[in-house]
Amino acid sequence: MTDVRQAFFFASVVLLVFLAFSIPTIEPGSPTFVITIISGVMLLVTLVGSATLIYVDWDPFEKLLSDRD
């Protein structure tokens, strides 16, 4: 399960870097700027959430998977 959390973390970092590179080409106040900000916030939430889950090592499916054995 840690692999999935790390994949979310890595994907969020990569997409935030791409988004940061695109910011200089976007006009402030344009619709594209608003979408960029919304996308950035969503990616930051995913990044913080996955980092938190990795840090606390919480596995929500641990009990379900252990019952199958």
Side-chain angles (χ1 to χ4, degrees):
M1 189 63 170
T2 303
D3 295 335
V4 173
R5 291 178 285 190
Q6 289 174 347
F8 275 112
F9 182 81
F10 180 71
S12 297
V13 169
V14 169
L15 291 173
L16 278 169
V17 168
F18 287 152
L19 200 60
F21 283 135
S22 71
I23 286 181
T25 63
I26 299 171
E27 282 185 42
S30 68
T32 306
F33 183 76
V34 174
I35 295 300
T36 302
I37 298 299
I38 292 171
S39 298
V41 169
M42 290 171 39
L43 285 169
L44 280 173
V45 167
T46 304
L47 179 76
V48 170
S50 60
T52 303
L53 291 177
I54 290 169
Y55 180 74
V56 298
D57 197 31
W58 180 59
D59 187 3
F61 303 108
E62 182 178 12
K63 183 173 168 98
L64 292 173
L65 294 175
S66 66
D67 289 343
R68 288 179 32 188
D69 294 334

